[in-house]
Amino acid sequence: MMAAALGRNPWSDRQAQDSESHAPQAVTLWSGSRDHPFSAMRIALISNSLPPEDGTGGAQAYVADLAVSLADRHDVLVLSGARATELPGVGTMRLPGLRRLFPTEPALTKAAWHLRDQWMPSVHMAVRRHLRSFRPDVVHTHEPQGLSAAPFSAIARAGTAHVHTVHDLNLLCVRVTMTRGSEPCSGSEIDCWLQRAVRIPLLKKQLQRLISPSDYYRELHVRRGIVAAERALTIRQGAKSGCARQRNSSDSPCVGMLGALAPHKGLRTLLRAFATAPASWRLQVAGSGPEEHEVARAAAADSRITFYGSVDGTVKEAFLDRLDALVIPSEWEENAPLVAAEAAVRGIPAVVSNRGGLPEIPEAEVFVARDARSLRDALAALVGPGGRLAEASSRLLARREAFLWDTHVAQVEEVLEEASGEVRDGVGESSSLAEARS
């Protein structure tokens, strides 16, 4: 029997019904409403790296963009392991982090690298020194891998307000994906246990808020005891404005995948699904990674498939403009990829696997991860004859403002201000600060 697609996700249905309301969604702790202007703050952001360093990805690009946006109204300093990065209006300082670890390195080398990545005294001292000098009102931490848990201990020692955004599962898993050999795992291995034993207690010493782009990640971190439920918030990803237009059904729909081309991203499942798609359908793929050769080989054998390699700027905009639907076929517990927001602001619905926070994406058609038949059925339900492409695209465009970068930044900004105010006023102090005052 042909596997059926899982169908529409209920989160997007609820959001569509409330599209004209400013009331908070039932499954999201963040309402995004405010009734007063922001006060100027001194904000320190900490990230393991920044673009254009080799190996940087979405989390690092996010930090760079956020820093520049916050600098319009605040005094911003970014501490990172990047060698040399200039951000307009933003101060940057380098931390003595670890070098980049490559997937092909020997197992013993990887083990030694991850052991060093538990707690690095040099990073702890550097962060403390920069915090004493800059005197921030709030510190916003991001991806810690390569910096160890040392930023957390330094922030706790300083007693500064602290907000942490989870981009992946680094607090729980040394591989950050909760997978081993492309297979989902429970994170019960000894190396993951050690990482949790070090990172979580140090983070909890001084943490006013934890931000997650998905309910799935927020709830996972609450269940693991990292943060109390009332201090964990879901703030959806935001994307910069692009070419928005209505997508409508056609005889030759164009679907695409944009991002890392790695085993856990589900590229092979997409290629298997598309092999049996109607002859008039088109598939375009952009990105880079170890499975580039898979796409190139498929494109050489099937004229319906086009591989663009890495894209950016106007080339990326043109790539997205050609799409009728975006496919995110991940096979790991994905959080909330930025590309989904980039598609939404352009009116492009998504077809996503049922892993992690992906089913929460508005107007998404959901399929069973690693199941090519289920993916093909989901694609047909969205872009095939009688599919709901036009309806889904129209709903996304009607709520476009909710997916924009400026909306996202304003929501983060308010959380940073609230955290700063709590510590300043002595409300909801964390354990380390309360002990220091006693």
Side-chain angles (χ1 to χ4, degrees), residues 277-337:
S280 61
W281 287 22
R282 293 168 293 138
L283 169 64
Q284 58 180 35
V285 179
S288 61
E291 292 193 338
E292 289 181 38
H293 65 282
E294 298 278 351
V295 192
R297 185 164 55 242
D302 188 340
S303 61
R304 301 174 303 160
I305 302 175
T306 306
F307 178 45
Y308 292 87
S310 295
V311 296
D312 204 353
T314 57
V315 178
K316 178 180 177 181
E317 185 63 42
F319 176 93
L320 289 168
D321 191 53
R322 286 189 293 268
L323 291 185
D324 293 306
L326 175 74
V327 184
I328 308 177
S330 292
E331 296 172 2
W332 70 290
E333 304 303 325
E334 190 87 59
N335 191 356

Side-chain angles (χ1 to χ4, degrees), residues 169 172 178 215-225:
L169 296 171
L172 305 173
M178 297 285 278
D215 292 324
Y216 181 90
Y217 266 44
R218 170 176 57 81
E219 292 166 0
L220 178 60
H221 285 75
V222 169
R223 289 198 305 271
R224 291 281 187 162

Side-chain angles (χ1 to χ4, degrees), residues 6 20 30 36 58 68 74 96 128 144 158 176-178 188 196 203 254 261 318 343 355 359 376 397 431 436:
L6 295 186
E20 302 302 321
W30 178 257
H36 63 283
V68 172
H74 308 283
R128 283 196 64 194
V176 310
T177 61
M178 297 285 278
S188 58
R196 291 194 296 273
L203 177 64
C254 180
L261 305 178
R355 299 303 299 271
R376 187 185 62 190
L397 292 173
S431 58

